[in-house]
Amino acid sequence: MEVTFTGKDSYAQHFVPRDYLEMYFSCHPEKEDKSSLLVFCLKMLHKAFHSGGLKGDTLIDIGSGPTIYQFLSACESFREIIATDFTDQNREEMQRWLRKEPGAFDWSPVGKYACELEGDREKWAQKEEKVRRTVKRVLKCDVTQPNPVAPLSLPPADCLLSTLCLEAASKDLPTYRSALKNIGSLVKPGGHLVLLVILEETFYMVGQHQFSCLCLDRKSVEEAVKEAGFDIEWLEMTQLSLPGSLYDAKEACALVARKH
């Protein structure tokens, strides 16, 4: 069954951040099996930022959504994180957590797992405060624009992070390649790209609404990254087990690449 591309208007009108969080992030990662997408993401981010030693002054996260899991390892390695997302409601949901507002989403089970990877599960509360101190700005972005954060102009960052974003924002492979080039302009030469990508997925559900995903394979991702001016330093894949009614992805991949 062909899935109709869900563009910017669909996200603005129908993407409900709390539905997304409850459906995909309300689990306890330590109780999930190794084929869990969230567990894979947390382990790969730990590998990139903790074990892999990526560090610097500024990290820009592209397509943050309403989530903060992607900052749990990175906050230890960068002085400043700039979060970005296209939709107002996603940025607002994230800021509720950053401001510690009543009713904000509970990330503590995910934070505990990230801390366990670092060797001390009990430091999760300090970890959350570190994220709050490190995320300095939450900006609007549009990956289809040559400058995704226009009208702002940001100094080139040391690192660019994007998790599970570009494949959902791209209607076809040329758009995906263009989006990678667009976001790649935000990182300095010698800086790094950390990319987590869903492979062979055509849709995912948020509440009762279906959202499209560009069906990618490993080769097309590698070629797009290289075409955007990056050399891949490492890439890791995982098979996904999934509830087929929520999404139809078969694999995910994580990579770290260095800009020429």
Side-chain angles (χ1 to χ4, degrees), residues 29 38-47 50-51 72-73 110-122 127:
L38 178 56
V39 168
F40 175 72
C41 289
L42 292 170
K43 285 183 174 177
M44 293 300 98
L45 293 166
H46 174 79
K47 178 178 178 178
H50 192 268
S51 311
L72 293 167
S73 292
V110 178
K112 288 174 183 176
Y113 185 80
C115 288
E116 191 172 294
L117 292 174
E118 293 177 7
D120 190 349
R121 178 182 177 82
E122 298 311 312
K127 172 74 78 177

Side-chain angles (χ1 to χ4, degrees), residues 69-82:
Y69 73 91
Q70 66 272 30
F71 306 140
L72 293 167
S73 292
C75 72
E76 306 292 346
S77 302
F78 291 87
R79 184 179 55 80
E80 171 187 49
I81 292 174
I82 299 171

Side-chain angles (χ1 to χ4, degrees), residues 109-139:
V110 178
K112 288 174 183 176
Y113 185 80
C115 288
E116 191 172 294
L117 292 174
E118 293 177 7
D120 190 349
R121 178 182 177 82
E122 298 311 312
K123 287 190 173 177
W124 64 271
Q126 295 99 305
K127 172 74 78 177
E128 288 193 348
E129 290 310 307
K130 185 72 175 284
V131 171
R132 290 186 173 102
R133 289 195 305 272
T134 308
V135 178
K136 307 289 191 188
R137 305 169 79 181
V138 182
L139 306 177

Side-chain angles (χ1 to χ4, degrees), residues 140-165:
K140 185 176 181 70
C141 79
D142 183 347
V143 300
T144 66
Q145 300 302 308
N147 173 12
V149 294
L152 299 178
S153 181
L154 297 177
D158 300 291
C159 187
L160 196 62
L161 171 64
S162 190
T163 63
L164 319 179
C165 166

Side-chain angles (χ1 to χ4, degrees), residues 14-245:
H14 300 305
F15 192 95
V16 179
R18 203 53 183 247
D19 287 348
Y20 178 67
L21 294 174
E22 296 290 352
M23 290 173 78
Y24 296 103
F25 298 97
S26 59
C27 58
H28 289 253
E30 71 274 8
K31 297 178 183 176
E32 300 284 305
D33 65 29
K34 65 183 180 185
S35 60
S36 155
L37 177 59
L38 178 56
V39 168
F40 175 72
C41 289
L42 292 170
K43 285 183 174 177
M44 293 300 98
L45 293 166
H46 174 79
K47 178 178 178 178
F49 295 113
H50 192 268
S51 311
L54 291 187
K55 58 187 176 182
D57 286 329
T58 303
L59 177 144
I60 299 174
D61 182 41
I62 297 292
S64 306
T67 66
I68 60 91
Y69 73 91
Q70 66 272 30
F71 306 140
L72 293 167
S73 292
C75 72
E76 306 292 346
S77 302
F78 291 87
R79 184 179 55 80
E80 171 187 49
I81 292 174
I82 299 171
T84 71
D85 197 75
F86 178 75
T87 71
D88 298 342
Q89 63 266 33
N90 276 344
R91 298 194 306 278
E92 180 54 37
E93 183 68 36
M94 180 192 289
Q95 287 174 314
R96 280 194 197 100
W97 184 86
L98 292 171
R99 295 189 296 252
K100 299 176 79 167
E101 291 185 6
F105 189 73
D106 179 14
W107 284 101
S108 61
V110 178
K112 288 174 183 176
Y113 185 80
C115 288
E116 191 172 294
L117 292 174
E118 293 177 7
D120 190 349
R121 178 182 177 82
E122 298 311 312
K123 287 190 173 177
W124 64 271
Q126 295 99 305
K127 172 74 78 177
E128 288 193 348
E129 290 310 307
K130 185 72 175 284
V131 171
R132 290 186 173 102
R133 289 195 305 272
T134 308
V135 178
K136 307 289 191 188
R137 305 169 79 181
V138 182
L139 306 177
K140 185 176 181 70
C141 79
D142 183 347
V143 300
T144 66
Q145 300 302 308
N147 173 12
V149 294
L152 299 178
S153 181
L154 297 177
D158 300 291
C159 187
L160 196 62
L161 171 64
S162 190
T163 63
L164 319 179
C165 166
L166 300 184
E167 57 271 33
S170 303
K171 67 176 187 245
D172 52 29
L173 196 50
T175 308
Y176 183 80
R177 289 185 179 134
S178 175
L180 257 176
K181 288 177 183 173
N182 293 341
I183 70 169
S185 69
L186 299 174
V187 69
K188 63 179 62 169
H192 284 85
L193 167 69
V194 179
L195 194 63
L196 274 68
V197 188
I198 289 278
L199 301 179
E200 297 183 61
E201 178 177 75
T202 66
F203 79 91
Y204 70 103
M205 301 297 296
V206 177
Q208 299 303 307
H209 292 281
Q210 185 183 78
F211 291 86
S212 64
C213 186
L214 179 62
C215 193
L216 295 166
D217 58 21
R218 173 176 176 162
K219 183 181 178 186
S220 58
V221 172
E222 288 180 311
E223 289 176 348
V225 169
K226 291 171 185 173
E227 191 180 302
F230 292 87
D231 294 319
I232 296 172
E233 295 187 341
W234 61 260
L235 182 150
E236 198 163 320
M237 308 263 295
T238 191
Q239 300 284 324
L240 298 175
S241 66
L242 53 112
S245 61

